Amino acid sequence: MGFREHEQAAAPDREDSVNVGSEDPTDPGGAPGTRARRIARIPFAALRQKVPEGMEALIAEVRDDQVLIPGLQMGVGALVVQRWDSTHAAAGWTLYGADLTLDQGHPFGSMFYRNDADNRVLRVGVKWHPPVQQLEFPALHPSKPELTSDCTADEVAAVVLDARSRIGTLVAVNAQIGSFVATTESEDAILDASGLGLERLSEDDPRLAGDA
């Protein structure tokens, strides 16, 4: 991701909004075969500090498989993250609703899918299972606390993969934002809380070259 500052002699008052446009495909800075990119405007309102004199706009290069997250309260106030990969979408099923929350950082709730052909509804639960320390995605009856009985194993597998991919993206984006806004002090605290409070080593530390 690259941020660019566009400056002029004077910065007129203007409405700050996110404007998306097409990047010039002949731009020599883009390597052949790379994903298409676009330019996203970062609102000045997202900046914590005063807008530098002479700055007209702050923009970011964003690939088609990325999305800009504005409104962050540290740094430039925006971050480009990886967008959900729709190749994992369940063919023949549409996500039409979700009731999700983060329970101490773990996604929890339900996702509702409707079959495009016959309107069957499949509810996918999302919960953290402490004994095995992993997220689980049970395929459930739409309104009863029991497993689904009107979907084939292949249908369940496809819809659960769809749900896993969306929740995986949600977790990754939240983690990336947390890392982006964290200071060194808060990073140390996060690692310590995760049982990863190990000594930090510099890249040229001789211990990295051996088994020490």
Side-chain angles (χ1 to χ4, degrees), residues 94-117:
T94 299
L95 175 70
Y96 74 91
D99 180 11
L100 296 168
T101 187
L102 290 177
D103 181 10
Q104 297 185 7
H106 300 303
F108 177 81
S110 296
M111 303 170 68
F112 298 87
Y113 291 81
R114 180 178 287 114
N115 186 273
D116 298 338

PDB file of all heavy atoms in Angstrom, residues 94-117:
ATOM      1  N   THR A  94     -27.256 -17.720  -0.966  1.00  0.00           N
ATOM      2  CA  THR A  94     -27.051 -16.291  -0.757  1.00  0.00           C
ATOM      3  C   THR A  94     -27.069 -15.966   0.726  1.00  0.00           C
ATOM      4  O   THR A  94     -28.006 -16.350   1.439  1.00  0.00           O
ATOM      5  CB  THR A  94     -28.150 -15.467  -1.465  1.00  0.00           C
ATOM      6  OG1 THR A  94     -28.105 -15.726  -2.874  1.00  0.00           O
ATOM      7  CG2 THR A  94     -27.955 -13.981  -1.212  1.00  0.00           C
ATOM      8  N   LEU A  95     -26.028 -15.301   1.189  1.00  0.00           N
ATOM      9  CA  LEU A  95     -26.025 -14.806   2.566  1.00  0.00           C
ATOM     10  C   LEU A  95     -26.985 -13.617   2.634  1.00  0.00           C
ATOM     11  O   LEU A  95     -26.789 -12.604   1.970  1.00  0.00           O
ATOM     12  CB  LEU A  95     -24.619 -14.360   2.961  1.00  0.00           C
ATOM     13  CG  LEU A  95     -24.488 -13.713   4.340  1.00  0.00           C
ATOM     14  CD1 LEU A  95     -24.690 -14.738   5.441  1.00  0.00           C
ATOM     15  CD2 LEU A  95     -23.122 -13.031   4.489  1.00  0.00           C
ATOM     16  N   TYR A  96     -28.041 -13.747   3.434  1.00  0.00           N
ATOM     17  CA  TYR A  96     -29.029 -12.670   3.480  1.00  0.00           C
ATOM     18  C   TYR A  96     -29.141 -12.016   4.859  1.00  0.00           C
ATOM     19  O   TYR A  96     -29.847 -11.020   5.034  1.00  0.00           O
ATOM     20  CB  TYR A  96     -30.407 -13.176   3.038  1.00  0.00           C
ATOM     21  CG  TYR A  96     -31.116 -14.057   4.044  1.00  0.00           C
ATOM     22  CD1 TYR A  96     -31.978 -13.519   5.001  1.00  0.00           C
ATOM     23  CD2 TYR A  96     -30.926 -15.434   4.044  1.00  0.00           C
ATOM     24  CE1 TYR A  96     -32.623 -14.332   5.927  1.00  0.00           C
ATOM     25  CE2 TYR A  96     -31.561 -16.247   4.955  1.00  0.00           C
ATOM     26  CZ  TYR A  96     -32.415 -15.697   5.895  1.00  0.00           C
ATOM     27  OH  TYR A  96     -33.053 -16.492   6.813  1.00  0.00           O
ATOM     28  N   GLY A  97     -28.439 -12.550   5.842  1.00  0.00           N
ATOM     29  CA  GLY A  97     -28.507 -11.952   7.173  1.00  0.00           C
ATOM     30  C   GLY A  97     -27.436 -12.518   8.086  1.00  0.00           C
ATOM     31  O   GLY A  97     -26.906 -13.608   7.848  1.00  0.00           O
ATOM     32  N   ALA A  98     -27.113 -11.769   9.106  1.00  0.00           N
ATOM     33  CA  ALA A  98     -26.126 -12.226  10.082  1.00  0.00           C
ATOM     34  C   ALA A  98     -26.356 -11.510  11.409  1.00  0.00           C
ATOM     35  O   ALA A  98     -26.733 -10.342  11.435  1.00  0.00           O
ATOM     36  CB  ALA A  98     -24.704 -11.964   9.584  1.00  0.00           C
ATOM     37  N   ASP A  99     -26.167 -12.234  12.477  1.00  0.00           N
ATOM     38  CA  ASP A  99     -26.261 -11.678  13.831  1.00  0.00           C
ATOM     39  C   ASP A  99     -24.954 -12.037  14.523  1.00  0.00           C
ATOM     40  O   ASP A  99     -24.815 -13.124  15.087  1.00  0.00           O
ATOM     41  CB  ASP A  99     -27.467 -12.259  14.559  1.00  0.00           C
ATOM     42  CG  ASP A  99     -27.623 -11.705  15.977  1.00  0.00           C
ATOM     43  OD1 ASP A  99     -26.921 -10.725  16.303  1.00  0.00           O
ATOM     44  OD2 ASP A  99     -28.426 -12.260  16.749  1.00  0.00           O
ATOM     45  N   LEU A 100     -23.974 -11.144  14.441  1.00  0.00           N
ATOM     46  CA  LEU A 100     -22.624 -11.448  14.900  1.00  0.00           C
ATOM     47  C   LEU A 100     -22.130 -10.407  15.890  1.00  0.00           C
ATOM     48  O   LEU A 100     -22.495  -9.235  15.816  1.00  0.00           O
ATOM     49  CB  LEU A 100     -21.652 -11.492  13.705  1.00  0.00           C
ATOM     50  CG  LEU A 100     -21.889 -12.586  12.666  1.00  0.00           C
ATOM     51  CD1 LEU A 100     -21.041 -12.321  11.425  1.00  0.00           C
ATOM     52  CD2 LEU A 100     -21.568 -13.962  13.250  1.00  0.00           C
ATOM     53  N   THR A 101     -21.306 -10.850  16.795  1.00  0.00           N
ATOM     54  CA  THR A 101     -20.639  -9.950  17.726  1.00  0.00           C
ATOM     55  C   THR A 101     -19.261 -10.518  18.001  1.00  0.00           C
ATOM     56  O   THR A 101     -18.937 -11.636  17.568  1.00  0.00           O
ATOM     57  CB  THR A 101     -21.435  -9.823  19.040  1.00  0.00           C
ATOM     58  OG1 THR A 101     -20.842  -8.811  19.850  1.00  0.00           O
ATOM     59  CG2 THR A 101     -21.447 -11.148  19.814  1.00  0.00           C
ATOM     60  N   LEU A 102     -18.432  -9.763  18.675  1.00  0.00           N
ATOM     61  CA  LEU A 102     -17.131 -10.251  19.112  1.00  0.00           C
ATOM     62  C   LEU A 102     -17.188 -10.455  20.616  1.00  0.00           C
ATOM     63  O   LEU A 102     -17.398  -9.514  21.378  1.00  0.00           O
ATOM     64  CB  LEU A 102     -16.023  -9.255  18.755  1.00  0.00           C
ATOM     65  CG  LEU A 102     -15.695  -9.125  17.258  1.00  0.00           C
ATOM     66  CD1 LEU A 102     -14.640  -8.042  17.052  1.00  0.00           C
ATOM     67  CD2 LEU A 102     -15.200 -10.449  16.696  1.00  0.00           C
ATOM     68  N   ASP A 103     -17.030 -11.696  21.032  1.00  0.00           N
ATOM     69  CA  ASP A 103     -17.051 -12.053  22.446  1.00  0.00           C
ATOM     70  C   ASP A 103     -15.606 -12.204  22.903  1.00  0.00           C
ATOM     71  O   ASP A 103     -14.967 -13.216  22.640  1.00  0.00           O
ATOM     72  CB  ASP A 103     -17.821 -13.364  22.640  1.00  0.00           C
ATOM     73  CG  ASP A 103     -17.903 -13.783  24.098  1.00  0.00           C
ATOM     74  OD1 ASP A 103     -17.526 -12.973  24.973  1.00  0.00           O
ATOM     75  OD2 ASP A 103     -18.334 -14.924  24.365  1.00  0.00           O
ATOM     76  N   GLN A 104     -15.080 -11.165  23.564  1.00  0.00           N
ATOM     77  CA  GLN A 104     -13.676 -11.129  23.964  1.00  0.00           C
ATOM     78  C   GLN A 104     -12.762 -11.385  22.766  1.00  0.00           C
ATOM     79  O   GLN A 104     -11.760 -12.082  22.858  1.00  0.00           O
ATOM     80  CB  GLN A 104     -13.404 -12.142  25.079  1.00  0.00           C
ATOM     81  CG  GLN A 104     -14.162 -11.846  26.351  1.00  0.00           C
ATOM     82  CD  GLN A 104     -13.789 -12.793  27.485  1.00  0.00           C
ATOM     83  OE1 GLN A 104     -12.877 -13.596  27.369  1.00  0.00           O
ATOM     84  NE2 GLN A 104     -14.498 -12.673  28.588  1.00  0.00           N
ATOM     85  N   GLY A 105     -13.146 -10.811  21.636  1.00  0.00           N
ATOM     86  CA  GLY A 105     -12.335 -10.918  20.427  1.00  0.00           C
ATOM     87  C   GLY A 105     -12.701 -12.076  19.524  1.00  0.00           C
ATOM     88  O   GLY A 105     -12.291 -12.107  18.365  1.00  0.00           O
ATOM     89  N   HIS A 106     -13.492 -13.029  20.034  1.00  0.00           N
ATOM     90  CA  HIS A 106     -13.872 -14.189  19.226  1.00  0.00           C
ATOM     91  C   HIS A 106     -15.220 -13.941  18.563  1.00  0.00           C
ATOM     92  O   HIS A 106     -16.193 -13.565  19.231  1.00  0.00           O
ATOM     93  CB  HIS A 106     -13.979 -15.452  20.094  1.00  0.00           C
ATOM     94  CG  HIS A 106     -12.707 -15.832  20.785  1.00  0.00           C
ATOM     95  ND1 HIS A 106     -11.537 -16.069  20.118  1.00  0.00           N
ATOM     96  CD2 HIS A 106     -12.421 -16.008  22.109  1.00  0.00           C
ATOM     97  CE1 HIS A 106     -10.589 -16.382  20.974  1.00  0.00           C
ATOM     98  NE2 HIS A 106     -11.092 -16.351  22.190  1.00  0.00           N
ATOM     99  N   PRO A 107     -15.329 -14.161  17.246  1.00  0.00           N
ATOM    100  CA  PRO A 107     -16.633 -14.011  16.585  1.00  0.00           C
ATOM    101  C   PRO A 107     -17.646 -14.974  17.180  1.00  0.00           C
ATOM    102  O   PRO A 107     -17.335 -16.135  17.469  1.00  0.00           O
ATOM    103  CB  PRO A 107     -16.329 -14.354  15.115  1.00  0.00           C
ATOM    104  CG  PRO A 107     -14.870 -14.101  14.958  1.00  0.00           C
ATOM    105  CD  PRO A 107     -14.260 -14.487  16.276  1.00  0.00           C
ATOM    106  N   PHE A 108     -18.866 -14.484  17.345  1.00  0.00           N
ATOM    107  CA  PHE A 108     -19.935 -15.308  17.917  1.00  0.00           C
ATOM    108  C   PHE A 108     -21.270 -14.882  17.309  1.00  0.00           C
ATOM    109  O   PHE A 108     -21.545 -13.691  17.149  1.00  0.00           O
ATOM    110  CB  PHE A 108     -20.005 -15.148  19.435  1.00  0.00           C
ATOM    111  CG  PHE A 108     -21.138 -15.911  20.076  1.00  0.00           C
ATOM    112  CD1 PHE A 108     -21.012 -17.269  20.334  1.00  0.00           C
ATOM    113  CD2 PHE A 108     -22.328 -15.281  20.387  1.00  0.00           C
ATOM    114  CE1 PHE A 108     -22.060 -17.984  20.910  1.00  0.00           C
ATOM    115  CE2 PHE A 108     -23.382 -15.983  20.970  1.00  0.00           C
ATOM    116  CZ  PHE A 108     -23.243 -17.337  21.223  1.00  0.00           C
ATOM    117  N   GLY A 109     -22.094 -15.872  16.955  1.00  0.00           N
ATOM    118  CA  GLY A 109     -23.417 -15.547  16.445  1.00  0.00           C
ATOM    119  C   GLY A 109     -23.860 -16.505  15.358  1.00  0.00           C
ATOM    120  O   GLY A 109     -23.497 -17.683  15.368  1.00  0.00           O
ATOM    121  N   SER A 110     -24.649 -15.985  14.419  1.00  0.00           N
ATOM    122  CA  SER A 110     -25.217 -16.815  13.362  1.00  0.00           C
ATOM    123  C   SER A 110     -25.169 -16.079  12.031  1.00  0.00           C
ATOM    124  O   SER A 110     -25.253 -14.849  11.973  1.00  0.00           O
ATOM    125  CB  SER A 110     -26.674 -17.174  13.671  1.00  0.00           C
ATOM    126  OG  SER A 110     -26.779 -17.962  14.847  1.00  0.00           O
ATOM    127  N   MET A 111     -25.053 -16.869  10.952  1.00  0.00           N
ATOM    128  CA  MET A 111     -25.106 -16.353   9.588  1.00  0.00           C
ATOM    129  C   MET A 111     -26.205 -17.114   8.864  1.00  0.00           C
ATOM    130  O   MET A 111     -26.295 -18.337   8.983  1.00  0.00           O
ATOM    131  CB  MET A 111     -23.758 -16.517   8.885  1.00  0.00           C
ATOM    132  CG  MET A 111     -22.616 -15.845   9.639  1.00  0.00           C
ATOM    133  SD  MET A 111     -20.973 -16.259   9.011  1.00  0.00           S
ATOM    134  CE  MET A 111     -21.001 -15.448   7.409  1.00  0.00           C
ATOM    135  N   PHE A 112     -27.035 -16.400   8.116  1.00  0.00           N
ATOM    136  CA  PHE A 112     -28.215 -17.006   7.496  1.00  0.00           C
ATOM    137  C   PHE A 112     -28.078 -17.029   5.971  1.00  0.00           C
ATOM    138  O   PHE A 112     -27.856 -15.986   5.340  1.00  0.00           O
ATOM    139  CB  PHE A 112     -29.473 -16.243   7.892  1.00  0.00           C
ATOM    140  CG  PHE A 112     -29.746 -16.256   9.370  1.00  0.00           C
ATOM    141  CD1 PHE A 112     -29.182 -15.308  10.216  1.00  0.00           C
ATOM    142  CD2 PHE A 112     -30.562 -17.238   9.936  1.00  0.00           C
ATOM    143  CE1 PHE A 112     -29.424 -15.318  11.576  1.00  0.00           C
ATOM    144  CE2 PHE A 112     -30.810 -17.260  11.299  1.00  0.00           C
ATOM    145  CZ  PHE A 112     -30.240 -16.305  12.116  1.00  0.00           C
ATOM    146  N   TYR A 113     -28.233 -18.212   5.405  1.00  0.00           N
ATOM    147  CA  TYR A 113     -28.117 -18.399   3.956  1.00  0.00           C
ATOM    148  C   TYR A 113     -29.435 -18.923   3.399  1.00  0.00           C
ATOM    149  O   TYR A 113     -30.092 -19.756   4.026  1.00  0.00           O
ATOM    150  CB  TYR A 113     -27.009 -19.410   3.631  1.00  0.00           C
ATOM    151  CG  TYR A 113     -25.613 -18.912   3.924  1.00  0.00           C
ATOM    152  CD1 TYR A 113     -25.098 -18.951   5.220  1.00  0.00           C
ATOM    153  CD2 TYR A 113     -24.807 -18.402   2.912  1.00  0.00           C
ATOM    154  CE1 TYR A 113     -23.812 -18.498   5.492  1.00  0.00           C
ATOM    155  CE2 TYR A 113     -23.520 -17.954   3.171  1.00  0.00           C
ATOM    156  CZ  TYR A 113     -23.032 -18.003   4.455  1.00  0.00           C
ATOM    157  OH  TYR A 113     -21.753 -17.559   4.734  1.00  0.00           O
ATOM    158  N   ARG A 114     -29.782 -18.445   2.211  1.00  0.00           N
ATOM    159  CA  ARG A 114     -30.998 -18.916   1.532  1.00  0.00           C
ATOM    160  C   ARG A 114     -30.618 -19.567   0.213  1.00  0.00           C
ATOM    161  O   ARG A 114     -29.826 -19.024  -0.556  1.00  0.00           O
ATOM    162  CB  ARG A 114     -31.969 -17.757   1.289  1.00  0.00           C
ATOM    163  CG  ARG A 114     -33.258 -18.193   0.571  1.00  0.00           C
ATOM    164  CD  ARG A 114     -34.219 -17.037   0.385  1.00  0.00           C
ATOM    165  NE  ARG A 114     -34.842 -16.654   1.646  1.00  0.00           N
ATOM    166  CZ  ARG A 114     -34.653 -15.499   2.271  1.00  0.00           C
ATOM    167  NH1 ARG A 114     -33.839 -14.590   1.736  1.00  0.00           N
ATOM    168  NH2 ARG A 114     -35.260 -15.224   3.410  1.00  0.00           N
ATOM    169  N   ASN A 115     -31.222 -20.749  -0.035  1.00  0.00           N
ATOM    170  CA  ASN A 115     -30.976 -21.440  -1.295  1.00  0.00           C
ATOM    171  C   ASN A 115     -31.674 -20.702  -2.427  1.00  0.00           C
ATOM    172  O   ASN A 115     -32.859 -20.372  -2.330  1.00  0.00           O
ATOM    173  CB  ASN A 115     -31.472 -22.889  -1.207  1.00  0.00           C
ATOM    174  CG  ASN A 115     -31.116 -23.685  -2.442  1.00  0.00           C
ATOM    175  OD1 ASN A 115     -31.839 -23.693  -3.425  1.00  0.00           O
ATOM    176  ND2 ASN A 115     -29.980 -24.370  -2.379  1.00  0.00           N
ATOM    177  N   ASP A 116     -30.948 -20.445  -3.512  1.00  0.00           N
ATOM    178  CA  ASP A 116     -31.491 -19.661  -4.614  1.00  0.00           C
ATOM    179  C   ASP A 116     -32.597 -20.381  -5.372  1.00  0.00           C
ATOM    180  O   ASP A 116     -33.448 -19.734  -5.997  1.00  0.00           O
ATOM    181  CB  ASP A 116     -30.373 -19.300  -5.602  1.00  0.00           C
ATOM    182  CG  ASP A 116     -29.286 -18.446  -4.955  1.00  0.00           C
ATOM    183  OD1 ASP A 116     -29.570 -17.802  -3.928  1.00  0.00           O
ATOM    184  OD2 ASP A 116     -28.158 -18.429  -5.481  1.00  0.00           O
ATOM    185  N   ALA A 117     -32.616 -21.708  -5.319  1.00  0.00           N
ATOM    186  CA  ALA A 117     -33.586 -22.474  -6.108  1.00  0.00           C
ATOM    187  C   ALA A 117     -34.891 -22.740  -5.364  1.00  0.00           C
ATOM    188  O   ALA A 117     -35.983 -22.599  -5.930  1.00  0.00           O
ATOM    189  CB  ALA A 117     -32.957 -23.793  -6.555  1.00  0.00           C
TER     190      ALA A 117
END
